[in-house]
Amino acid sequence: MSKEEWSRQILDISSIQIGEVIDGMALDCFQHKISIPSLEDIAETTVKAIRKKGFNVIRVAPKNSNFILRPFRLEHLKAKKSVYWVYGADLLYKRHSKLYSKDGLFATDADKDSIYANFQKSINWFDKYIDARPQYVDYFIKVI
């Protein structure tokens, strides 16, 4: 398997879940009450998905990583007259000081601290985009 195919399989694990908050309750698209998982739980679910594809995952120092796992969550995102929740995980592939996301080139210099600051997520919600600044954490991992 080529490096491109290998990294694509892992990047495709990136996920996003979105719903609405009504009367203080987080509801999914079927109007069922849900509990928004912690950042640690989102990361653990993502690592399990990578392992399920047959890869080994270990946490390493940033300089030794080949992926960044970024779980994110936001419980109250106000947009117009509604309130939404969002959570998920982004995977970023580190190669030759560049970061690649599921959608292509994410950043051109993976060694700059500014790339990891001020994370903003653009969310497609029924054909309109909402910019959010969710809580997040970066896990530096090596996938082999």
Side-chain angles (χ1 to χ4, degrees), residues 64-133:
N64 298 327
S65 67
N66 58 357
F67 281 88
I68 298 169
L69 165 57
R70 179 177 280 173
F72 58 88
R73 69 190 297 265
L74 184 59
E75 293 184 50
H76 292 91
L77 170 61
K78 292 182 181 178
K80 298 194 178 186
K81 296 180 181 180
S82 297
V83 178
Y84 304 99
W85 58 263
V86 60
Y87 74 85
D90 283 336
L91 284 155
L92 303 171
Y93 177 49
K94 254 175 72 174
R95 186 169 181 205
H96 304 301
S97 292
K98 293 182 181 176
L99 288 174
Y100 296 89
S101 72
K102 184 176 182 174
D103 301 321
L105 185 64
F106 176 78
T108 56
D109 194 345
D111 296 325
K112 298 268 187 204
D113 288 339
S114 60
I115 287 170
Y116 307 111
N118 301 319
F119 174 55
Q120 182 170 307
K121 188 80 179 160
S122 195
I123 301 157
N124 185 353
W125 182 252
F126 293 113
D127 294 328
K128 63 181 174 183
Y129 282 89
I130 303 168
D131 290 332
R133 294 198 183 275

Side-chain angles (χ1 to χ4, degrees), residues 9 13-14 24 31 35-36 38 45 49 54 59 61 67 75 89 91 93 95 97 103 111 117 133 139 144:
Q9 278 192 22
I13 295 170
S14 295
Q31 299 297 303
S35 178
I36 300 169
S38 68
T45 299
R59 284 186 71 181
F67 281 88
E75 293 184 50
L91 284 155
Y93 177 49
R95 186 169 181 205
S97 292
D103 301 321
D111 296 325
R133 294 198 183 275
Y139 293 92
I144 46 179

Side-chain angles (χ1 to χ4, degrees), residues 15-74:
S15 65
I16 187 166
Q17 304 294 319
I18 307 166
E20 200 166 2
V21 176
I22 299 175
D23 296 329
M25 292 185 298
L27 304 174
D28 66 13
C29 62
F30 301 109
Q31 299 297 303
H32 297 123
K33 186 178 177 183
I34 66 138
S35 178
I36 300 169
S38 68
L39 292 171
E40 293 80 14
D41 289 341
I42 297 165
E44 185 178 323
T45 299
T46 306
V47 167
K48 284 179 183 176
I50 295 169
R51 288 184 174 141
K52 189 174 181 179
K53 287 199 176 261
F55 299 102
N56 205 1
V57 180
I58 54 174
R59 284 186 71 181
V60 295
K63 68 180 181 178
N64 298 327
S65 67
N66 58 357
F67 281 88
I68 298 169
L69 165 57
R70 179 177 280 173
F72 58 88
R73 69 190 297 265
L74 184 59

